[in-house]
Amino acid sequence: MIAKAGIARNTFYDLFPTKQAFLEYASSEASHLIFAPASQARDDSGPWLERLDRAVEGFYGAISKDPAVAEFCLIHTLSTDGQIVRRGVKIWERLLSEGRDAARLDLGPDFSEPVPLAEEFLAHSIVSLATVRLWQGKGASLPQHQREVVTLVAMFFFGIDYASQTWPDLVNPGAQRQIQQP
């Protein structure tokens, strides 16, 4: 690791006195790389569903681009205390909680309250899909699941009719996608 880092041995040990210190630093940096799109989407402007779409695209894209980093973060750090994955799920939960609010505002009296803990379930689903695909050695396939994931989330908050209108290509392959909140 010291040779790969390209720094002097003494400097490395000054920075990371224990193997655990190094692993904590590396896993924190790895998690920042893959969970940054979801964090960024919370700060972006624009309709919530568009921000969600960008977050899923960025998250799965980052994993696809560097599956070794994602595998380290999502799979190998689980053997420690799972803190990295829990922190990532919380990032997704915060973004998803804005979906409930967006749907409530946009749909008004037609809004139907999603099941309790929908955000937690969906956040775990987004991260679990990534983890399973990495475990299977198929991290590069994650971007192709973007529309299904966004549709699933839209169904929870906006209803199935709205989700099928937003992603008509799921129902009618070849149809044009139009992200537009009601």
Side-chain angles (χ1 to χ4, degrees):
M1 288 188 288
I2 294 170
K4 291 247 183 203
I7 60 175
R9 181 177 294 279
N10 289 341
T11 303
F12 187 85
Y13 285 116
D14 285 343
L15 292 170
F16 309 110
T18 65
K19 184 178 180 181
Q20 185 65 29
F22 172 75
L23 290 174
E24 287 173 9
Y25 173 79
S27 61
S28 177
E29 289 298 307
S31 72
H32 175 72
L33 288 173
I34 65 169
F35 289 114
S39 294
Q40 178 68 34
R42 290 191 68 229
D43 298 331
D44 286 350
S45 61
W48 176 79
L49 198 53
E50 287 180 13
R51 293 184 295 126
L52 172 69
D53 189 48
R54 288 192 305 269
V56 172
E57 178 181 35
F59 179 57
Y60 289 161
I63 292 169
S64 175
K65 181 179 176 184
D66 201 343
V69 169
E71 183 179 324
F72 172 73
C73 180
L74 295 175
I75 296 173
H76 298 297
T77 61
L78 285 177
S79 63
T80 57
D81 64 358
Q83 187 77 18
I84 300 296
V85 172
R86 280 196 299 277
R87 199 169 33 224
V89 167
K90 289 294 180 195
I91 290 169
W92 277 105
E93 282 181 34
R94 287 191 295 273
L95 175 61
L96 295 171
S97 70
E98 295 175 16
R100 185 184 295 260
D101 298 337
R104 188 178 289 117
L105 285 172
D106 288 345
L107 298 175
D110 294 332
F111 176 71
S112 179
E113 195 70 42
V115 296
L117 304 177
E119 294 85 352
E120 182 180 353
F121 168 76
L122 292 167
H124 278 281
S125 298
I126 291 167
V127 174
S128 293
L129 174 62
T131 305
V132 167
R133 298 306 280 174
L134 283 166
W135 190 264
Q136 295 170 334
K138 298 179 180 178
S141 72
L142 281 166
Q144 71 191 31
H145 296 290
Q146 176 184 347
R147 348 176 261 192
E148 290 87 355
V149 169
V150 174
T151 301
L152 174 68
V153 172
M155 285 189 299
F156 264 84
F157 297 118
F158 291 92
I160 195 163
D161 292 336
Y162 174 74
S164 64
Q165 290 170 8
T166 302
W167 298 99
D169 55 334
L170 290 178
V171 178
N172 180 13
Q176 294 290 78
R177 175 175 82 148
Q178 299 174 13
I179 297 179
Q180 180 177 17
Q181 290 187 206

